Amino acid sequence: MWDDAFPSFLIGLREGLEAGLIVSVLVATLVRAGARSRLPQVWTGVLAAIALSMSFGAVLTFTAASLSTTAQEAFGGTLSIVAVAFVTAMVFWMRRSARGFAGEIKEKVTEALAMGAGVLVLTSFLAVGREGLETALFLWTTARAANESAGPVTGAGIGLVLAAALCWGLYRRVLRINLTRFFTATGVVLIVIAAGVLGYGLRDLQEGTVLPGGTAYAFDLSGSVDAGAWYSTLLQGVLNLTPAMTWLQVTGYVGYLAVVMTLFVRGVRERSGAGVPARAGAGAGADEAVAGGKRADAPPAVPSVTPPAAPPSATEPPSAPPSAAEPPSVPTTASTRRRPAWLIPVAVVAVPALLAGLVVALAHPKPAAGETIAVSETDCGQGFTAPEPGRQDFLMHNTGNQTSEVYLIDPSSNAVYGEIEGLAPGTTRDLVATVAGGTYAWRCVPADGRAVTSKAVRVGGAAGAHAVVPVSERDLAAPLKAYRAYVDRGLATLVTQTRKLSDDIRAGRLGTARADWLTAHRTYASLGAAYGTFEDFDQKIDGRPDGLPGGVHDKDFTGFLRIEYGLWHGEPASGLKGVAHQLAEDSAGLRKAFPHQDFDSSDLPLRAHEILENTLQFELTGDTDQGSGTGLATTDANLAGTRELLLVLKPLLTTRAPRLLPTVNADIARLQKLLDSAHHGTGWTPVDRLDRAAKARLDGATGQLLEDLSPVPDLLEVRKSA
């Protein structure tokens, strides 16, 4: 998670330190002016700025969720570029103003003291609010780029907490930090990160059809670079560099980096060589950046806020605020009514939150409370009118007497935008789908009746809603035929190998039998025997002893695992001859029966996920290991079977989800590399002997592959058509 957290950590640290220094100056100025009673007004402004920043982040999040897919890409890309502009301006502003910004704030506070509470609240609000809005925007952008919020939010939180601790240390004069060098170094790193955010934003605008060149790739290394490797994850999380980038992305990235970094470094050199006197140990502006002045007896290298208890120094510059003996006059009138002390803080914090809630509510239009859509053979789609573009929540009510499925479709292509399965008579369920420009209709499919399609409606606006083109049994016929041929060839090999295994055991060659057992077992595992694919033969050939009264000694425990137990627990050949012979017979029986077994074409996409699901549940937990320690060898064979399934399904998947297979192939390559590292000659590292880190990497890679394979069954589900 750290790769996604680091950019947000840096922005949280930097923006938090800027805001914290500003607050320190505000507080120190009031304390030195003898106006401690005005401190609540400063904190009110700070709280208002925090509330506004959080509300801004909520508005961005919920506004994006209410848009179509294409609009979301355009919206996110635009805000990414805006975030880059803000960060760039912030980096240059701090480089230019760090030496004197405290003096400016002190002047504003001095003026505000004479103009009433509202002005002081506004001063602190504006001083901190800009940092908060920049942080919220950048955090939202990095979270969207990472496709998750935990890492960026955690990173920003750690950065803000650290910034608060540093500011406290500076204020209390217990830390020595060269702020000039700090802001320069973080500025360089932020420019590099901003270049990546710019490239990501340009790609979003291309996918949102705002900018051209979405298919003009400068390079595409997705076939040769492991997208799941640590270095790929690090580059993508921190720098937003991906294995495939368009020419526009590369041009924007390199151009921004070259121009902005050159200007920034040149400015730093010019300032360092301009003859500005520097104190020993700290930058010349370090003290002024925090307090706008320092006591004559303070150590030169300590940038800090003057402690509240310290009296004004004799060397205070003319622009210093009034002393405690001469507090600023605040005009008052006898007729002024005293407001409750809590009124202003509550108001300035509540107003941004209320405004954000109003924006969120308006950004999520929903159907009227009484608007329901009928589902049945006779009333399919009744009550359906053209919805507004965006995310919609349809209320589907089954008015018929049969359980039904219902699909929101494009009637011209039968592409499915959303679906509900098993809608019982008389019940109502929500169907949430994103609607954009196009034609929409409802297809109602009763359990024992014909499918009915409703009247179509037209939605205005640009296209962009995501739909899945349905798959028919005819579409799956060719992949099923190819896969059955693959399994048939594998069964022929299995018959030969199990006969050899039986011969080895009958002749007492148990050492050879162990090697031949693993070869035959890997062949069987590569055929995808998941969830009863081979009917009763699977239990006979590769059944586990779980649930048998006698466990591993039960008479019904047969097949590969029974032989494994005997071979690796010192059982003599005489006790295994019958079991080995029966395994060879069952393998031959399966090969003979397989061409006549019922293999539903709709089950084929399930195998792509279920084979490795079984692997994670049994092989990678050691549950099936009966002594050989070859669970990873079986996992390797299961991965080969999954790869074969994806190969026959590739034509259907490529047209429906072009990005799925490159991602899955990268996952497979990552898992294969981990398995290869556990393969030593003819041996494999047993699962229970893997160190904790290696086991975690293996489980994580398998879990990620399963997650990326999870859409396959839905993408290739056979749906009943009209």
Side-chain angles (χ1 to χ4, degrees), residues 271-632:
R271 291 185 65 83
S272 63
V276 179
R279 298 184 179 95
D287 293 309
E288 185 184 358
V290 181
K294 56 185 287 184
R295 298 184 307 178
D297 60 343
V302 183
S304 64
V305 176
T306 304
S313 69
T315 60
E316 187 70 16
S319 61
S323 66
E326 298 177 357
S329 60
V330 180
T332 60
T333 63
S335 61
T336 302
R337 296 181 179 179
R338 294 183 60 84
R339 300 183 182 89
W342 53 266
L343 181 60
I344 292 179
V346 169
V348 296
V349 173
V351 167
L354 291 175
L355 290 176
L358 182 61
V359 172
V360 170
L362 294 177
H364 279 273
K366 292 190 176 183
E371 182 181 343
T372 59
I373 300 169
V375 178
S376 73
E377 284 188 272
T378 57
D379 301 329
C380 185
Q382 184 175 333
F384 182 47
T385 57
E388 293 294 327
R391 190 176 178 85
Q392 298 293 333
D393 188 352
F394 300 102
L395 303 176
M396 312 306 300
H397 179 65
N398 189 340
T399 59
N401 56 10
Q402 294 188 56
T403 298
S404 296
E405 298 178 2
V406 59
Y407 306 106
L408 179 63
I409 66 169
D410 178 350
S412 62
S413 64
N414 289 326
V416 177
Y417 294 97
E419 64 182 297
I420 293 177
E421 297 181 350
L423 183 61
T427 60
T428 302
R429 283 164 58 187
D430 289 354
L431 188 153
V432 180
T434 299
V435 175
T439 305
Y440 297 84
W442 294 100
R443 176 160 295 154
C444 305
V445 187
D448 296 315
R450 63 185 184 87
V452 178
T453 302
S454 73
K455 181 181 178 180
V457 300
R458 177 74 186 174
V459 176
H466 177 69
V468 176
V469 179
V471 175
S472 66
E473 292 192 5
R474 178 181 297 180
D475 295 327
L476 285 170
L480 180 58
K481 181 179 180 181
Y483 186 67
R484 290 183 72 101
Y486 161 77
V487 173
D488 192 61
R489 292 192 300 271
L491 289 175
T493 302
L494 179 68
V495 169
T496 301
Q497 292 171 343
T498 53
R499 285 175 178 169
K500 186 175 186 303
L501 173 61
S502 179
D503 292 342
D504 290 337
I505 291 176
R506 187 173 62 251
R509 298 188 295 268
L510 298 187
T512 304
R514 293 187 183 95
D516 289 341
W517 174 90
L518 181 58
T519 300
H521 191 237
R522 281 170 52 82
T523 296
Y524 184 75
S526 69
L527 302 182
Y531 293 145
T533 301
F534 299 137
E535 298 178 355
D536 293 339
F537 281 100
D538 185 43
Q539 181 62 32
K540 297 176 182 178
I541 293 174
D542 204 34
R544 295 180 296 278
D546 306 350
L548 296 177
V552 294
H553 304 293
D554 196 279
K555 61 180 180 61
D556 292 327
F557 180 34
T558 61
F560 277 112
L561 299 189
R562 171 65 181 87
I563 296 174
E564 177 188 6
Y565 181 84
L567 288 175
W568 273 271
H569 283 83
E571 192 170 339
S574 58
L576 294 174
K577 286 192 296 184
V579 180
H581 176 74
Q582 187 60 49
L583 174 62
E585 291 295 314
D586 289 335
S587 299
L590 174 58
R591 187 195 177 193
K592 183 177 180 180
F594 179 70
H596 309 288
Q597 287 181 338
D598 184 22
F599 198 120
D600 192 336
S601 58
S602 63
D603 286 346
L604 192 61
L606 295 174
R607 300 290 172 263
H609 185 270
E610 290 173 349
I611 294 173
L612 289 177
E613 192 173 54
N614 275 1
T615 302
L616 187 63
Q617 181 180 359
F618 299 116
E619 273 69 38
L620 292 182
T621 60
D623 183 73
T624 56
D625 185 15
Q626 300 299 323
S628 67
T630 57
L632 296 186

Side-chain angles (χ1 to χ4, degrees), residues 25 99-109 288-289 291-293 319:
V25 172
R99 297 176 183 273
F101 86 101
E104 298 176 8
I105 295 173
K106 290 170 68 177
E107 291 178 7
K108 293 179 181 178
V109 173
E288 185 184 358
S319 61

Side-chain angles (χ1 to χ4, degrees), residues 652-675:
L652 297 177
L653 290 173
T654 301
T655 57
R656 288 164 175 80
R659 298 183 182 181
L660 188 145
L661 282 180
T663 301
V664 166
N665 288 337
D667 292 342
I668 290 176
R670 179 187 180 192
L671 179 56
Q672 187 67 65
K673 186 176 180 180
L674 293 174
L675 291 172

